[in-house]
Amino acid sequence: MQYRFPDNFWWGSASSAAQTEGAALRDGKAPTNWDHWFKTQPNRFFNQVGPEDTSTFYDRFRDDIQLMKKIGHNSFRTSISWARLIPDGNGEVNQTAVDFYNALFDELVENGIEPFITLFHFDMPFSMQEKGGWENREVIDAFAQYAETCFKLFGHKVKYWFTFNEPIVPVEGGYLYDFHYPNVVDFRRAATVAYHTMLAHAKAVKHYRDLNLDGQIGIVLNLTPSYPRSQNPADLKAANIADLLFNRSFLDPAVKGEYPQALVDLLRQHDQLPDCTPEDAVLLQGGKVDILGVNYYMPRRVKARENAVNPDSPFMPEWFFDPYEMPGRKMNPHRGWEIYEKGIYDILTNLKDNYGNLPCYISENGMGVEGENRFLEDGQINDQYRIEFVREHLRWLHKGISEGANCLGYHMWTFIDNWSWSNAYKNRYGFVQLDLETQTRTIKKSGEWYAEVSKNNGF
Ligand code: BGP
């Protein structure tokens, strides 16, 4: 075997409540931003397929866990739905939800699959959004209480907790680029949402520490390495600012407990800083994580801007750089994302050299493909492109580990084809194919391949 991974390496996949559970308005669950947005603007979702019945995991999790076992999972990440557990956001706990999550975690553990649990994966309870969402500090407190409730209810069986999944995405989608509700375009409000998210994270970490549970707490960040077009100082400056805005804005507070001074200076210079209190800094210091989940899909290539900024346009990250389309780059055309396998190694090297080599794992990596049925052979999807995609990423991951990176596992996005934010079921990511009509699950070739890799702990 050419690529052997460390003992007890985590092989698994990731998903989230809103994208897989279905039963979005059943058994006491209250609507989230997604349920609300779909009701009011269904045209914003691919083929007008909404979040109500996503992948029926709520009803079929027992059978699905058997499939996980079959494809070699020893760990699996999903999220708890805040709006299911505490329908009002900060009121009573929904006992039906407690029973569901207890049954789910028990079933995973009994089948030798370690549950990794996220507390917030883009699914703001609509009641909380009506209060202003992350712009309102009351929502920070409500989240911290929700987190504490989860730790108390499930902390003896869940050992790996993640406060947020990709906290920058609701900031980008909801407050800068119009791909999540509430479709605001306003940098200062975006910065406030980002900052408050990290305060909410830190408060949750504090609760976790106070409870003295036997486990670890972390955060999942989508780290997107910023590559400059060239070594020209103007391109380097552009890449550095992109890195500050899109990576270090969350990575530094999560791992070092404070924001990079250069980022603070930049936002101050453009009058975009959120309101901060001296107590916030103390809180953030206490929010340092035990473990970091790294989601990696694509790199960000940038160059110095070609044209002057329109001073009447809204202030945006793109005031500092233009996206750069590198000739010869490899693309996944279905998602419009570049595939650059070495990025995974660059991220791990950066964490090793500049972030104390804290324990981390690849919490998402994957490839969404449209129209996968054209690869059906004898009733099974022969997704060689996905096998290739995973294998190449794992090679670079392995190189990182062999050079000392503290990477403990690899989770694929995703287990069963699931519903995606506004793309609905357009692109399929799963190791397991989902027939939308019948809800039948069929393991793809990549799932069989992954089972072997997991069994052999390498390839
Ligand atoms: C990540 C999210 C996932 C997932 C994935 C694929 O950003 O954490 O929830 O959806 O990306 O992206 P998409 O579904 O937008 O194609």
Side-chain angles (χ1 to χ4, degrees):
M1 196 169 21
Q2 221 180 336
Y3 300 94
R4 194 174 219 314
F5 285 80
D7 290 347
N8 306 316
F9 199 69
W10 297 321
W11 298 105
S13 62
S15 70
S16 81
Q19 292 174 277
T20 59
E21 282 179 6
L25 301 169
R26 249 174 58 201
D27 289 354
K29 181 181 161 293
T32 64
N33 274 359
W34 296 97
D35 301 306
H36 173 80
W37 195 22
F38 182 69
K39 205 165 123 198
T40 49
Q41 284 194 291
N43 52 307
R44 293 296 305 259
F45 298 80
F46 183 75
N47 280 349
Q48 313 214 350
V49 174
E52 195 163 341
D53 293 316
T54 59
S55 302
T56 54
F57 186 67
Y58 186 78
D59 296 311
R60 296 170 194 247
F61 69 91
R62 288 203 165 82
D63 291 341
D64 285 347
I65 288 170
Q66 291 312 309
L67 284 175
M68 285 177 204
K69 248 177 107 169
K70 243 188 170 154
I71 61 170
H73 281 31
N74 59 22
S75 45
F76 173 68
R77 179 169 67 102
T78 187
S79 65
I80 293 175
S81 161
W82 183 359
R84 189 183 295 288
L85 192 72
I86 306 179
D88 290 338
N90 62 353
E92 294 245 316
V93 171
N94 171 9
Q95 190 53 43
T96 315
V98 177
D99 296 344
F100 166 66
Y101 288 115
N102 266 320
L104 170 61
F105 303 149
D106 287 343
E107 190 78 12
L108 284 165
V109 172
E110 279 162 23
N111 282 281
I113 299 171
E114 187 78 53
F116 288 30
I117 298 304
T118 314
L119 294 173
F120 189 93
H121 195 128
F122 306 170
D123 52 347
M124 179 67 84
F126 191 62
S127 57
M128 294 286 101
Q129 188 64 46
E130 283 181 306
K131 288 184 184 280
W134 296 118
E135 286 184 88
N136 182 348
R137 283 185 182 242
E138 270 181 47
V139 174
I140 300 179
D141 292 330
F143 174 81
Q145 231 176 40
Y146 153 66
E148 190 187 29
T149 304
C150 290
F151 303 147
K152 284 185 174 159
L153 283 169
F154 312 117
H156 51 292
K157 45 184 94 163
V158 173
K159 306 291 178 197
Y160 296 94
W161 290 95
F162 298 90
T163 53
F164 284 87
N165 176 78
E166 302 190 351
I168 200 168
V169 169
V171 175
E172 294 174 328
Y175 296 86
L176 288 175
Y177 302 121
D178 184 35
F179 61 87
H180 280 200
Y181 193 81
N183 313 90
V184 170
V185 177
D186 184 322
F187 192 101
R188 196 165 191 279
R189 290 175 66 183
T192 302
V193 166
Y195 183 60
H196 285 179
T197 307
M198 280 316 289
L199 296 179
H201 157 86
K203 278 206 170 176
V205 170
K206 185 171 184 319
H207 281 308
Y208 192 71
R209 306 262 181 253
D210 288 348
L211 288 169
N212 244 319
L213 286 160
D214 165 30
Q216 301 188 17
I217 188 153
I219 194 166
V220 169
L221 300 180
N222 49 320
L223 299 180
T224 311
S226 299
Y227 298 108
R229 166 182 58 182
S230 75
Q231 294 302 301
N232 185 296
D235 285 344
L236 291 176
K237 186 174 169 199
N240 184 42
I241 293 184
D243 188 44
L244 282 171
L245 289 170
F246 292 108
N247 295 319
R248 298 189 57 194
S249 52
F250 285 91
L251 181 58
D252 282 47
V255 178
K256 299 182 173 175
E258 60 187 15
Y259 286 90
Q261 193 55 45
L263 177 62
V264 176
D265 292 346
L266 182 78
L267 296 200
R268 181 172 293 127
Q269 196 188 335
H270 292 272
D271 194 26
Q272 301 290 335
L273 269 186
D275 294 331
C276 314
T277 72
E279 297 81 58
D280 293 348
V282 180
L283 184 62
L284 285 172
Q285 265 302 324
K288 288 190 240 177
V289 294
D290 303 320
I291 178 162
L292 181 68
V294 176
N295 291 358
Y296 175 65
Y297 288 90
M298 74 226 151
R300 170 178 275 107
R301 297 191 192 276
V302 299
K303 61 183 179 184
R305 279 188 64 105
E306 304 279 337
N307 301 306
V309 161
N310 168 6
D312 295 328
S313 65
F315 179 80
M316 280 287 184
E318 287 71 15
W319 278 34
F320 303 100
F321 57 82
D322 275 344
Y324 174 57
E325 290 188 12
M326 185 183 74
R329 68 194 177 139
K330 180 159 62 172
M331 289 295 293
N332 170 3
H334 309 283
R335 191 60 176 84
W337 287 347
E338 182 182 341
I339 298 174
Y340 183 63
E341 298 88 346
K342 177 170 177 282
I344 217 164
Y345 167 82
D346 291 339
I347 293 170
L348 293 178
T349 306
N350 180 38
L351 294 176
K352 175 169 64 120
D353 294 346
N354 302 310
Y355 292 87
N357 208 13
L358 86 158
C360 69
Y361 83 109
I362 301 301
S363 39
E364 285 181 31
N365 180 221
M367 185 184 185
V369 171
E370 191 170 359
E372 279 202 319
N373 278 349
R374 79 200 124 107
F375 301 106
L376 271 175
E377 282 172 22
D378 300 328
Q380 185 187 40
I381 288 178
N382 186 355
D383 51 347
Q384 286 303 325
Y385 44 87
R386 184 167 288 110
I387 294 175
E388 174 86 355
F389 178 99
V390 178
R391 193 199 287 125
E392 292 310 307
H393 280 87
L394 284 175
R395 280 198 180 127
W396 281 106
L397 173 57
H398 188 270
K399 180 171 161 61
I401 293 175
S402 67
E403 292 173 15
N406 200 359
C407 179
L408 308 175
Y410 176 88
H411 279 188
M412 180 74 167
W413 186 270
T414 184
F415 166 53
I416 291 182
D417 291 337
N418 65 26
W419 184 84
S420 157
W421 323 104
S422 77
N423 271 332
Y425 283 95
K426 175 181 168 293
N427 301 317
R428 303 305 183 96
Y429 282 89
F431 280 134
V432 178
Q433 174 205 8
L434 176 72
D435 181 323
L436 277 192
E437 295 291 304
T438 61
Q439 294 291 312
T440 307
R441 283 90 157 119
T442 314
I443 297 178
K444 301 178 192 175
K445 269 270 178 297
S446 59
E448 291 176 354
W449 176 82
Y450 198 64
E452 280 299 299
V453 174
S454 161
K455 193 172 89 199
N456 298 325
N457 204 29
F459 58 97

